[in-house]
Each structure stands twice: as C-alpha cells, then as structure tokens.
C-alpha cells in the first residue's frame, strides 16, 4: 500500500524515513518537498500526484507525516481516506510512546520510531495499532532530546504567541459576507531542564456550546498539541516544555456564526473628474484600538485597462506610498506603521481611464500586532518549578490570508 514513508519539518528537512519498495531511494520525497516549498496557497492538497508519484500526508505537531502510495487495488477501493487515517493513527502512537514530538525528539528517537513504523506498517501494509498493544513489541527506550544551544545564548526567556490568520470577503458597505479565522497558541522556552508551563485563558478553547448567555469565543474546531493537558473546559492548559523548541499548544477555528470583527474597514468610490480622467477615493479605518500597530498594510487593486498613469495624494499616517504598474495595470497603496484607532485616505487620479471608469474590488493584505480577531487572551503564565529572573513575553499577531473587498 505504501512504497515509502517520511517525517519532514516545515523547512523541508527529512527527519525520519523508511523505504519499503527496494527500487526507491530518499529521492522519492523530493517532489513532495518541492511542492511544499512552491505551493502558492500554503500547504499543498492532502493528496496529490507529482512526477509519477502519489503522495498523501497529514500535518501534526508542525511536522509532515508523508506516505508515498502504491497503485494497488486496495488503495483504489478505499481511496486516500484509509491512508490519511492510518498516518494520523501512527502520529498518535508515536506521541503516546515518545512523548512530545519535535524536530529534536524525532531525530533523537529515530530507532524507537523505526520500531514503531516496522510494527505498524509491516513492509508498507498499514495496520491500525494502539500504544498499549505495541508496547510489548518495542524494545528501545525514549531518548531525551539535547538542549538547544539557544538556551545558552538567550537564557531565561519564555515566549507565548497567539497568532491568527484571516480569510474574508467584504461587501461594498463594509459588511463581512464570509469570513474564516484560524489561530494557534505557540510557546518557545529558553530554560534548562523541562519545566511545566501552565496557561490560563480568558475564554474556553472548546467546540461545546456554553450554557446560558455567553460572550466567549465560539469555536468550530479545536486541536491540542501532543502532551498538552486541558482543564476547566479548555480555559487552562499545561505542557512540559522542551528547551529552545517551538511547541504548539492548540490550533483552533472560529465558528461561522461568531461575529467577526476584522482589523480594518475599507471603503471606496470612483467619480469622474474630466471626460478622460476619473478619481478613486479610498478610506481605511483601523478597528483595533489604541495601543496596537500594523507594521504594514497594503491594498492591491486593478486599474481600468486604458489607464496610462496615476497622480495621488494621501492623508493620515506619514509613511504612505501609492504606486502604479503600467504593465499589469495595478495600483498598490501601502501604509507602514499604521496606529490602531486611526484612519488613512488616498485620492488617486486615473489618467486616461475614462470619466465613467470604475474599480470593482481589490485585495487587502495586513499584519497587526498586539491584537487578534477572536479576542483570545492569555491571562496568566506559570512555570513549575519556579524560575528566578524569568522574562515572559506574551505576543499577539493577526495576518491576512485572503481578504477581498468590493468597492462598487
């Protein structure tokens, strides 16, 4: 069923591999890694073909668990779902027997993972297993990963990051038609040993409906990282840290019926100036409030096809630019260091566009620090045992995936 299997990092490094077909080598994974680095929309599809090979993968604990699929009759009958489920089960078994899965722990426990793969894949034929059933067939012991040199160079630092990504479609009036917000809570600890980190949140990371009136964040999907203990209905989480390694505490997706507050509201209009020229007026309002900042905000829009040049003026934040590309007829409005609670305006004259010309829609790209759409906040951070001289940093970041805004 499988011709080869590997575990790869997000950087495209193969951390572990097992080849079942005698005619293959590690080069069989190169097309997958190439697709990973060149995919324009993030990760490639969970199952795809490239250069004569069929690939199926799952993404767990910031690692890619990849299978190269043979074209046997069982695969044709069951489809890719069986392989996806088997790869997910293999991840759960490795997590149960090896503990927290990181790049360093995978490398340090290559022998142990090799025994797990040998028992659960049996020469490429997948067998669903559980940690308790495999325990008696495993003879290697878990090896603790070596501490990163970063612990020595940056001692006493703890970073907790809440990162969210936004996809949205916005109407002319600024109303959000559709939106999807995905987020994650990530931790990186630069301390010797393996202290236990406990976080308290202002809302529950749970898909269960809350009783009574609630203003909490509503989730449609929640997935906790390996080794994470969850309490108080998802408001409290704890995990044993790995020095110098980034760990994912949880990944989540906001429910479709959750009221989505986007960080910006963009409105625009087009009016005739002369029989040959039109003016595009844009106004961008920040909804993130005081104390937040956007390192960069960019609005891309296609100009009317006959536009020969533009003339522009702006108001609001000082660092603004408006550029025009004559080759593909696109206008780019960029604002740097956009403070929360403020607004910016751009007045763009479209030369030779025609007085009745109009601009229909554009794409908004942004990055906002100190703010997230969901409102998830880390209220308390605690390490056990207590560490003297610890510097704790809790950071919030929201980025755009694809935000389409209609102007007319």
């Amino acid at each position: 069923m499988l011709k080869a299997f590997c575990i790869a990092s997000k950087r495209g490094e193969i951390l572990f591999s097992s080849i079942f077909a005698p005619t293959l080598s590690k080069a069989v994974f190169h097309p997958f890694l190439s697709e990973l680095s060149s995919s324009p929309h993030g990760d490639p599809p969970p199952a795809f073909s490239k250069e004569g090979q069929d690939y199926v993968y799952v993404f767990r604990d910031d690692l890619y668990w990849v299978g190269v699929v043979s074209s046997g009759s069982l695969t044709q009958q069951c489809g890719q779902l069986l392989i996806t489920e088997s790869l997910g089960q293999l991840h759960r078994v490795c997590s149960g027997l090896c503990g927290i899965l990181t790049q360093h722990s995978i490398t340090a426990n290559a022998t142990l993972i090799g025994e797990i793969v040998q028992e659960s894949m049996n020469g490429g034929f997948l067998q669903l297993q559980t940690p308790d059933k495999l325990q008696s067939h495993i003879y290697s012991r878990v090896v603790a990963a070596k501490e990163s040199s970063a612990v020595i160079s940056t001692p006493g630092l703890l970073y907790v990051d809440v990162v969210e990504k936004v996809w949205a479609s916005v109407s002319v009036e600024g109303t959000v038609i559709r939106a999807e917000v995905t987020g994650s809570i990530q931790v990186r600890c630069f301390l010797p040993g393996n202290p236990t980190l406990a976080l308290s949140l202002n809302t529950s990371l749970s898909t269960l409906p809350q009783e009574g009136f609630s203003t909490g964040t509503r989730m449609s999907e929640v997935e906790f990282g390996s080794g994470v203990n969850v309490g108080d209905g998802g408001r409290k989480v704890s995990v044993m840290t790995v020095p110098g390694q980034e760990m994912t505490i949880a990944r989540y997706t906001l429910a479709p019926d959750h009221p989505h507050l986007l960080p910006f509201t963009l409105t625009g209009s087009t009016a005739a100036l002369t029989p040959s020229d039109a003016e595009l007026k844009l106004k961008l309002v920040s909804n993130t409030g005081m104390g937040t900042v956007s390192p960069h905000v960019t609005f891309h829009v296609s100009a009317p096809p006959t536009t020969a040049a533009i003339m522009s003026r702006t108001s609001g934040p000082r660092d603004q630019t408006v550029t025009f590309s004559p080759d593909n007829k696109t206008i780019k409005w960029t604002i740097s260091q956009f403070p929360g609670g403020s607004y910016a305006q751009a007045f763009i004259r479209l030369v030779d566009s025609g007085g009745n010309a109009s601009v229909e829609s554009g794409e908004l790209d942004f990055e906002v620090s100190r703010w997230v759409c969901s409102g998830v906040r880390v209220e308390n951070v605690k390490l056990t045992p207590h560490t003297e001289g610890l510097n704790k940093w809790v950071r919030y970041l929201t980025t755009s995936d694809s935000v389409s805004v209609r102007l007319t």
Side-chain angles (χ1 to χ4, degrees):
M1 184 180 296
L2 288 185
K3 296 190 290 186
F5 165 78
C6 81
I7 304 174
S9 69
K10 291 196 293 185
R11 295 182 178 180
E13 304 170 272
I14 297 178
L15 308 175
F16 173 87
S17 65
S18 184
I19 308 297
F20 306 117
T23 58
L24 298 180
S25 65
K26 273 190 175 183
V28 71
F29 302 114
H30 292 172
F32 173 84
L33 300 178
S34 174
E35 181 70 17
L36 193 65
S37 62
S38 62
S39 180
H41 305 293
D43 290 340
F48 65 92
S49 299
K50 187 170 184 178
E51 298 183 17
Q53 302 291 349
D54 298 324
Y55 298 93
V56 178
Y57 76 94
V58 295
F59 186 67
R60 301 287 187 275
D61 290 325
D62 286 339
L63 299 169
Y64 294 94
W65 302 66
V66 187
V68 184
V69 186
S70 63
S71 56
S73 58
L74 183 59
T75 305
Q76 296 174 354
Q77 293 174 6
C78 300
Q80 311 296 347
L81 183 60
L82 173 63
I83 300 171
T84 301
E85 175 60 30
S86 299
L87 292 174
Q89 177 68 18
L90 176 62
H91 163 265
R92 290 189 287 271
V93 171
C94 290
S95 178
L97 296 178
C98 300
I100 298 174
L101 297 176
T102 64
Q103 296 184 37
H104 283 256
S105 66
I106 293 291
T107 304
N109 291 280
T111 303
L112 175 57
I113 294 176
E115 291 187 28
I116 297 173
V117 170
Q118 183 178 0
E119 291 294 332
S120 60
M121 288 192 173
N122 191 20
F125 291 92
L126 299 171
Q127 301 176 8
L128 296 179
Q129 299 284 1
T130 57
D132 55 335
K133 291 182 179 180
L134 281 177
Q135 189 70 59
S136 59
H137 301 281
I138 303 299
Y139 300 98
S140 299
R141 294 184 177 181
V142 178
V143 178
K146 293 183 179 181
E147 294 182 1
S148 170
S149 59
V151 177
I152 301 174
S153 60
T154 55
L157 290 178
L158 172 66
Y159 295 98
V160 180
D161 295 330
V162 181
V163 182
E164 293 187 351
K165 184 173 289 188
V166 181
W167 175 94
S169 178
V170 183
S171 69
V172 179
E173 298 81 9
T175 304
V176 179
I177 302 174
R178 293 180 58 192
E180 180 177 307
V181 178
T182 59
S184 65
I185 302 176
Q186 300 172 344
V187 170
R188 194 163 189 178
C189 183
F190 297 95
L191 292 171
N194 300 97
T196 299
L197 171 67
L199 301 178
S200 297
L201 308 176
N202 67 333
T203 188
S204 297
L205 295 182
S206 173
T207 58
L208 298 176
Q210 301 182 22
E211 297 182 357
F213 177 78
S214 173
T215 58
T217 304
R218 297 195 292 273
M219 309 285 184
S220 62
E221 296 180 16
V222 177
E223 178 185 356
F224 292 96
S226 63
V228 176
N229 299 312
V230 185
D232 194 15
R235 292 177 66 96
K236 296 183 178 180
V237 292
S238 62
V239 66
M240 184 178 69
T241 60
V242 179
Q245 295 300 304
E246 186 177 78
M247 304 170 56
T248 299
I249 299 295
R251 299 180 186 276
Y252 56 86
T253 302
L254 294 190
D257 59 346
H258 183 82
H260 291 90
L261 174 63
L262 299 186
F264 299 100
T265 299
L266 177 69
T267 55
S269 62
T270 309
L273 290 179
T274 68
S276 62
D277 296 354
E279 183 180 54
L280 172 63
K281 298 180 181 179
L282 299 173
K283 183 176 182 180
L284 185 67
V285 180
S286 172
N287 302 322
T288 59
M290 303 295 291
T292 64
V293 65
S294 303
H296 70 269
V297 183
T298 304
F299 184 61
H300 302 266
V301 65
S302 296
T306 58
T307 304
I310 66 168
M311 292 183 288
S312 65
R313 58 186 177 90
T314 60
S315 65
R318 180 178 302 177
D319 194 0
Q320 298 187 57
T321 59
V322 180
T323 58
F324 174 67
S325 174
D327 296 333
N328 51 20
K329 304 296 182 182
T330 57
I331 299 172
K332 180 180 178 182
W333 179 28
T334 303
I335 309 171
S336 299
Q337 301 302 316
F338 192 8
S342 63
Y343 69 91
Q345 289 181 297
F347 303 88
I348 307 171
R349 181 165 184 158
L350 309 174
V351 180
D352 291 340
S353 62
N356 296 324
S358 63
V359 177
E360 295 184 353
S361 63
E363 292 288 329
L364 186 64
D365 296 328
F366 54 80
E367 179 180 304
V368 184
S369 60
R370 308 174 195 167
W371 188 88
V372 288
C373 294
S374 65
V376 171
R377 311 293 292 183
V378 178
E379 295 185 333
N380 186 45
V381 180
K382 182 180 179 181
L383 277 177
T384 306
H386 177 70
T387 302
E388 295 292 341
L390 175 65
N391 292 314
K392 296 181 290 187
W393 296 84
V394 180
R395 304 178 295 188
Y396 302 89
L397 180 68
T398 299
T399 61
S400 60
D401 184 7
S402 174
V403 177
S404 177
V405 181
R406 290 200 63 85
L407 302 177
T408 58

